[in-house]
């Protein structure tokens, strides 16, 4: 306790305490069947939609650019592939542990630790790449809704229905698509055209496959093409 409450360690100790609380909430949600992950994901998606949709003129342009940057950052952290709450738990764990270990090492070598105002931003920058790696590992380990031996490239040219969130440039959303055998697949999609967006329930056409199974899409040009 003396180590965790030492000068300069407060933000890292608090991060670990919050992490422990979120982990308990996650366990309770698993037992009760109430999906906290869905609530958090919907809140984040709704906040981004409200930010992108507000304002007008130059103000709206600035807000759209800011929203796009936030979307790209979240996609970089694998938001959309991994629940936001799980990524937050990983971040708090990494931030807290790295901060406490670094401060302890500085005390052992130099005799004093960095002040909080310097230590917190430095550890934050060091933590983000590690958080991204951890989230990427979780994305590979998490079970998929559907499995299939078909080549995902064969899905290009088929229509899909957006099933989770709103697909924006840099912020993909989940969509359901059927292959030629009628098997459903869940993939991540984002608009082909800059500035376009597709809300939950939108029917889109898959036009290009990217690394990691992500697809870019356009608005379905012909109702006769619907594969659902």
């Amino acid at each position: 306790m003396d180590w965790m409450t030492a000068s300069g360690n407060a933000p890292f100790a608090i991060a670990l305490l919050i992490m422990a609380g979120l982990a308990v909430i996650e366990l309770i949600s698993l037992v009760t069947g109430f999906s906290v992950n869905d609530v958090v994901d919907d809140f984040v998606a709704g906040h981004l939609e409200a930010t992108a949709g507000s304002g007008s003129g130059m103000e709206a342009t600035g807000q759209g650019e800011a929203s796009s940057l936030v979307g790209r950052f979240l996609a970089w952290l694998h938001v959309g592939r991994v629940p936001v709450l799980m990524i937050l738990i990983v971040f708090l764990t990494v931030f807290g542990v790295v901060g406490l270990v670094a401060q302890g090492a500085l005390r052992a070598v130099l005799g004093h630790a960095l002040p909080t105002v310097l230590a917190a931003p430095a550890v934050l920058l060091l933590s983000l790449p590690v958080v991204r790696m951890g989230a990427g590992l979780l994305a590979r380990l998490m079970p998929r809704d559907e499995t299939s031996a078909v080549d995902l490239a064969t899905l290009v040219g088929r229509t899909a229905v957006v099933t989770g969130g709103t697909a924006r440039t840099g912020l993909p959303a989940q969509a359901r698509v059927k292959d030629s055998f009628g098997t459903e697949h869940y993939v991540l999609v984002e608009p082909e055209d800059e500035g376009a967006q597709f809300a939950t329930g939108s029917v889109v056409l898959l036009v290009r496959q990217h690394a990691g199974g992500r697809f870019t899409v356009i608005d379905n040009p012909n109702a006769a093409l619907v594969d659902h």
Side-chain angles (χ1 to χ4, degrees), residues 20-147:
L22 292 177
V24 171
I25 293 174
E26 182 75 5
L27 289 175
I28 293 175
S29 70
L30 289 175
V31 173
T32 61
F34 176 74
S35 180
V36 178
N37 285 320
D38 289 344
V39 174
V40 175
D41 287 348
D42 290 344
F43 173 79
V44 172
H47 180 71
L48 289 174
E49 290 173 15
T51 302
S54 62
S56 60
M58 293 299 293
E59 179 187 359
T61 301
Q63 289 176 339
E65 292 174 352
S67 179
S68 178
L69 288 175
V70 172
R72 291 179 188 278
F73 174 70
L74 293 178
W76 182 75
L77 288 177
H78 299 292
V79 172
R81 299 178 63 198
V82 179
V84 174
L85 187 61
M86 294 182 66
I87 295 177
L88 182 58
I89 290 174
V90 172
F91 166 73
L92 291 171
T93 303
V94 173
F95 180 77
V97 171
V98 170
L100 291 177
V101 170
Q103 292 287 63
L106 288 174
R107 287 192 183 88
V109 175
L110 303 178
H112 60 84
L114 287 176
T116 300
V117 69
L118 295 178
V123 173
L124 174 63
L125 292 177
L126 290 174
S127 300
L128 288 178
V130 181
V131 173
R132 182 177 188 271
M133 292 174 58
L137 178 61
L138 285 174
R140 290 192 292 272
L141 294 177
M142 289 182 66
R144 298 292 187 266
D145 294 312
E146 297 287 343
T147 58

